[in-house]
Amino acid sequence: MSRFLLRRVLFGVLVLWLVATTVFLLFFAGPADTVARRLAGPRAPIEVINQIRNTLGLDRPLWDQYLSFLGKLLHGDLGVSFISQTPVTTLIAQSLPGTLWLVFGAAVLWMTAGITGGVLSATKPRGLRDRVTTVLVLAGISLPTFVLGMLMIYLALSVFPWSGLQPGPYVSPLWDFAGFLQVMIMPWICLAVVQAAVYVRLTRGSMLDTLGEDYIRTARAKGAPERRVTYRHGLRAALTPVVTQFGVDIGTLLGGVVVTESVFGLQGLGQLMIRSVRNGDLPVIIGAAILASAFIVIANILVDVAYSFLDPRVRLA
């Protein structure tokens, strides 16, 4: 296990280095004046362009700039925002908690609903329960996130105002737990509905394949209870593709749940990236891109480790 983790971590570091190098070359490779003008904007005066050149060291050789960029990155220095003159790490630290709570809270809901619905549907295929689940899944997949979000806001504010649910910026549960729940419940449900639909179908298909395996028929022939066959032997092995999808989704969503955050005004990492792209705030864009890549790398490492616990036939190599 330790050797496997070491190899995966080293591979993850290699991926992050490639991402950082690509981002650096994308924004900073080229003549110094061209890069400085792109950072300053098309209407910036020559004084501002010269100041950017001196501040960022764009007049130095490219390899020197690259080594300086990597050195700062290794020390956790992602630079300073061009717009607010605030360290990028500070901006990310302010925006990240809202995204973390949104993703992990919704993940609990969609995994619970998705796995439960998939197992119930697979145990009685082509029955009434399976057909009802299929209809609900198709509705969940077909409904755009922003439409569902706006519908939920309308219902909460106009039809059920007594519920206390409302859209708004993220509130820390340590400061105001009631306010935290008021602004997070609707985004959790909105994100979970769309994701759960995917996990129901994925779990159902994987369970149907697993329940047809030879070792499942052997367990039934030995007289094992059906519940034990389904949940202990079948579900455990069937969760492998589900965990794979979960790792990809978590890693991707932690990089910014743009649509959900925009609809409910959560001011998370996705909103920060939107503002940065609109304002051309490249240090924030670069920092957010590297952070999103780190989330995906970490999620994939955890998924690979989880394989060996879910399916004893899988060996880490």
Side-chain angles (χ1 to χ4, degrees):
M1 175 69 76
S2 59
R3 290 194 304 176
F4 167 78
L5 286 177
L6 179 60
R7 286 197 299 269
R8 294 297 292 165
V9 169
L10 291 177
F11 180 75
V13 171
L14 175 62
V15 171
L16 292 178
W17 171 72
L18 291 174
V19 170
T21 301
T22 302
V23 171
F24 173 83
L25 295 176
L26 182 64
F27 290 116
F28 293 101
D33 289 339
T34 302
V35 176
R37 183 170 294 279
R38 186 168 64 223
L39 297 176
R43 300 182 180 180
I46 189 64
E47 293 80 8
V48 174
I49 296 176
N50 291 333
Q51 181 181 1
I52 291 177
R53 287 186 57 187
N54 296 330
T55 302
L56 299 181
L58 297 176
D59 50 352
R60 293 181 296 165
L62 184 62
W63 64 267
D64 191 16
Q65 299 178 47
Y66 176 66
L67 292 179
S68 176
F69 170 76
L70 287 183
K72 292 180 180 179
L73 184 62
L74 290 175
H75 289 85
D77 184 2
L78 297 174
V80 177
S81 168
F82 290 158
I83 305 301
S84 63
Q85 297 302 309
T86 304
V88 175
T89 52
T90 301
L91 294 175
I92 291 178
Q94 293 172 350
S95 304
L96 188 57
T99 300
L100 289 176
W101 277 109
L102 171 60
V103 173
F104 287 123
V108 173
L109 297 179
W110 88 57
M111 286 294 285
T112 302
I115 294 176
T116 302
V119 171
L120 293 177
S121 182
T123 52
K124 297 291 184 180
R126 291 177 295 277
L128 177 61
R129 189 165 56 192
D130 186 23
R131 297 181 188 280
V132 172
T133 303
T134 300
V135 172
L136 294 177
V137 165
L138 291 176
I141 293 177
S142 303
L143 191 62
T145 304
F146 71 92
V147 174
L148 178 60
M150 291 188 292
L151 177 61
M152 294 179 64
I153 293 174
Y154 170 77
L155 292 176
L157 298 181
S158 301
V159 181
F160 306 108
W162 46 265
S163 66
L165 302 179
Q166 57 185 356
Y170 166 77
V171 178
S172 173
L174 300 177
W175 301 339
D176 183 2
F177 187 72
F180 167 77
L181 292 179
Q182 286 178 342
V183 299
M184 294 301 297
I185 287 179
M186 287 195 296
W188 281 341
I189 296 175
C190 180
L191 183 59
V193 165
V194 179
Q195 294 293 120
V198 176
Y199 282 78
V200 168
R201 301 305 297 171
L202 186 61
T203 304
R204 179 186 181 276
S206 183
M207 277 292 293
L208 289 176
D209 291 339
T210 303
L211 293 177
E213 294 285 347
D214 291 338
Y215 72 92
I216 296 293
R217 288 193 289 268
T218 302
R220 285 173 174 159
K222 289 182 177 180
E226 186 63 25
R227 179 179 293 271
R228 182 177 182 181
V229 171
T230 301
Y231 292 99
R232 182 171 181 178
H233 300 293
L235 179 59
R236 185 175 177 180
L239 284 179
T240 301
V242 177
V243 169
T244 302
Q245 185 65 40
F246 181 71
V248 173
D249 288 340
I250 286 292
T252 303
L253 292 174
L254 285 176
V257 194
V258 177
V259 176
T260 307
E261 290 180 2
S262 299
V263 171
F264 293 97
L266 279 179
Q267 304 300 324
L269 193 61
Q271 286 287 84
L272 176 64
M273 293 185 67
I274 289 178
R275 292 195 303 269
S276 302
V277 171
R278 288 176 177 173
N279 297 328
D281 201 347
L282 292 185
V284 180
I285 297 174
I286 293 172
I290 294 175
L291 180 64
S293 302
F295 282 138
I296 295 176
V297 168
I298 294 173
N300 278 276
I301 293 175
L302 295 178
V303 165
D304 289 339
V305 173
Y307 281 167
S308 62
F309 295 100
L310 291 174
D311 192 345
R313 297 171 298 178
V314 176
R315 291 293 179 264
L316 299 179

